[in-house]
Amino acid sequence: MIVRARVVLTTDGRPLVDGAVAIVGNRITDVGAFTAVAKRNTGDVLDLGDVILLPGLINAHCHLDYTALRGSIPIQDSFTAWIRAINERKAAMSAQDFIASIEEGFDEAARFGTTTIVNLEAFPELIPRVRRPALRTWWCAELIDVREKVCVREVYESLKRILPGNHDGWEHIGLAPHAPYTASTQLYADADAIARSEDLIFTTHLSESRGELQMFRDATGPLFQLLKEIGRPMEDCGGRSSLACLLARQPVDERWLVAHLNELSEDDFALLARAKKFHIVHCPRSHQFFNHTPFAFKRLSALGFNICLGTDSLASNSDLSLFAEMREAISVHDLSPAEVLAATTVNGARALRREGELGRLRAGFHADMIAVPFRGSPKGAAEAVVAFDGAVPWMMVHGRVLRTI
């Protein structure tokens, strides 16, 4: 198949006018001007017309379990109050409610052009009952051992039984200790060891809220009291941040995908300057919902961290549109359209260690592509993509067309 478009935005360089992408099976085999691609390749031509064809978007952090909670939790006085509110709502949901929520989330993410998604799954035992996603999916088991011990090996072996072909298709396994305040040192160590030995994605939340900073640095505050009430040992609190605690006890490196890093002190930045560089996921609209300290996008980038974007959950966001996340990031951080587009394509692929397969339109890469309507000058293609608001009219994942014009 040859897919033709008015503009092809490869994320490799300048937009291609009257461009085309040749596909065999689930891989891209050729990219270039339509006349040249058509001369070099055989197969049916699918002419999409006046659109920008670009790589599918990568959502590097979300919680599809909570899609059904959209708009149900108003802005709270503190992050801890929000935790109490979401726990109350989760307690009222049945297994079927969560399954419906996850499926709704997949459908919504697809409408907004997401072709790869990192879903932190609080209930991995429900995965077999979820309709198989059409999106390229990392199912990251969210691990919490505040109230009871968790055997990470058992969780991983269970996921392997659920997703036996995870390395061959578009469903993959990941491990996600929730955060330093809900996951013990032993849980982090066990999960990290298994992730390394089995070549899995490893992700966690870190330095997300002022309450987390207050808990670890000052051994006080509402989050400290909440965790103490439910029996968490608090000996690690007092004197340093959660980032400092984690870096002191755990080898953190380029294999790690860390969500948030919202609340950082100058001491934290000094640590990060010396630390091995991991990947960071910023969730701009969820960040705004919680009124966190402004995210240090450019400062962290300058230190060498790879920053990608996610939507977080609809318990703190209005929808699963990465286009809207890009616009929010531009408005707050004075980024260019090309920079935020990279944060949802090439940077996400790098964080997933799939920079040779995802995030670009290039020969040998997976055929994961979307198209958005476009009639303007090719010079404004990236800007037009970021400005797009609505459901994408055409999408392909793993060589399969999911949405048609």
Side-chain angles (χ1 to χ4, degrees):
M1 173 189 288
I2 298 173
V3 182
R4 182 182 189 180
R6 181 169 181 270
V7 174
V8 175
L9 198 59
T10 65
T11 69
D12 262 339
R14 289 181 299 177
L16 301 173
V17 181
D18 191 17
V21 177
I23 300 157
V24 175
N26 59 23
R27 296 278 179 170
I28 295 170
T29 58
D30 197 4
V31 181
F34 171 70
T35 53
V37 171
K39 187 177 296 185
R40 293 191 294 260
N41 298 273
T42 60
D44 295 336
V45 175
L46 175 60
D47 191 341
L48 299 179
D50 289 331
V51 301
I52 300 169
L53 185 67
L54 69 148
L57 305 182
I58 299 173
N59 186 339
H61 183 83
C62 70
H63 300 261
L64 297 183
D65 290 343
Y66 312 131
T67 306
L69 297 182
R70 184 195 328 253
S72 67
I73 304 176
I75 293 173
Q76 303 289 306
D77 292 337
S78 69
F79 185 71
T80 305
W82 179 86
I83 290 174
R84 292 184 186 276
I86 193 173
N87 284 341
E88 288 176 4
R89 285 155 179 80
K90 286 166 59 178
M93 293 175 68
S94 67
Q96 191 55 47
D97 290 333
F98 283 112
I99 291 166
S101 187
I102 295 165
E103 292 178 350
E104 180 186 350
F106 276 123
D107 291 343
E108 179 167 322
R111 286 198 303 275
F112 288 122
T114 294
T115 57
T116 294
I117 197 161
V118 178
N119 179 44
L120 277 67
E121 182 50 58
F123 309 101
E125 68 275 11
L126 297 180
I127 296 174
R129 297 169 59 185
V130 175
R131 171 173 30 96
R132 299 272 52 82
L135 305 188
R136 196 176 300 280
T137 304
W138 268 263
W139 294 97
C140 297
E142 192 165 53
L143 307 168
I144 294 174
D145 64 350
V146 174
R147 286 192 169 95
E148 58 185 29
K149 289 185 178 180
V150 173
C151 178
V152 182
R153 174 58 65 179
E154 289 181 3
V155 173
Y156 171 60
E157 294 298 335
S158 176
L159 284 171
K160 277 208 304 183
R161 290 191 294 271
I162 293 169
L163 302 167
N166 63 88
H167 293 296
D168 300 323
W170 51 88
E171 289 185 277
H172 302 264
I173 295 172
L175 295 176
H178 175 255
Y181 58 88
T182 51
S184 67
T185 300
Q186 189 62 54
L187 191 151
Y188 268 101
D190 292 346
D192 182 64
I194 292 172
R196 290 176 189 277
S197 66
E198 304 294 338
D199 194 27
L200 308 178
I201 292 300
F202 184 96
T203 187
T204 192
H205 302 78
L206 183 60
S207 301
E208 182 173 6
S209 69
R210 296 183 186 94
E212 180 180 340
L213 178 61
Q214 188 179 24
M215 169 181 164
F216 280 93
R217 186 187 60 194
D218 305 328
T220 188
L223 188 60
F224 180 91
Q225 293 302 323
L226 171 64
L227 273 297
K228 186 176 181 180
E229 286 171 14
I230 63 177
R232 181 195 188 276
M234 308 305 286
E235 291 82 3
D236 57 346
C237 297
R240 57 185 178 178
S241 68
S242 56
L243 171 71
C245 286
L246 189 65
L247 292 178
R249 70 192 192 193
Q250 190 69 42
V252 180
D253 57 22
E254 73 283 349
R255 297 185 61 87
W256 283 49
L257 183 56
V258 174
H260 304 313
L261 285 191
N262 299 322
E263 305 294 339
L264 299 172
S265 67
E266 286 303 315
D267 287 343
D268 287 332
F269 279 107
L271 285 174
L272 291 171
R274 302 190 299 270
K276 291 185 178 179
K277 302 309 181 242
F278 47 83
H279 309 279
I280 301 170
V281 192
H282 176 44
C283 302
R285 290 184 296 160
S286 181
H287 188 284
Q288 191 275 335
F289 175 89
F290 289 114
N291 192 30
H292 295 309
T293 296
F295 179 68
F297 198 113
K298 291 192 174 182
R299 188 173 182 182
L300 290 167
S301 294
L303 287 175
F305 291 93
N306 174 51
I307 301 177
C308 39
L309 297 187
T311 58
D312 216 340
S313 84
L314 295 197
S316 60
N317 206 342
S318 57
D319 58 46
L320 297 175
S321 170
L322 283 170
F323 297 107
E325 300 297 341
M326 288 189 278
R327 290 192 292 273
E328 178 71 16
I330 282 177
S331 70
V332 174
H333 303 293
D334 191 31
L335 302 171
S336 70
E339 286 175 313
V340 294
L341 186 56
T344 59
T345 53
V346 293
N347 295 6
R350 181 181 167 196
L352 293 170
R353 305 198 307 279
R354 295 297 190 278
E355 59 266 50
E357 298 180 324
L358 300 172
R360 302 182 190 273
L361 300 184
R362 182 188 286 181
F365 278 51
H366 284 299
D368 291 8
M369 306 184 291
I370 62 173
V372 300
F374 184 65
R375 293 179 179 271
S377 166
K379 291 182 180 179
E383 185 176 0
V385 169
V386 174
F388 180 72
D389 188 15
V392 297
W394 187 89
M395 167 186 281
M396 172 181 280
V397 179
H398 210 62
R400 299 185 302 157
V401 176
L402 302 185
R403 300 176 67 86
T404 59
I405 293 176

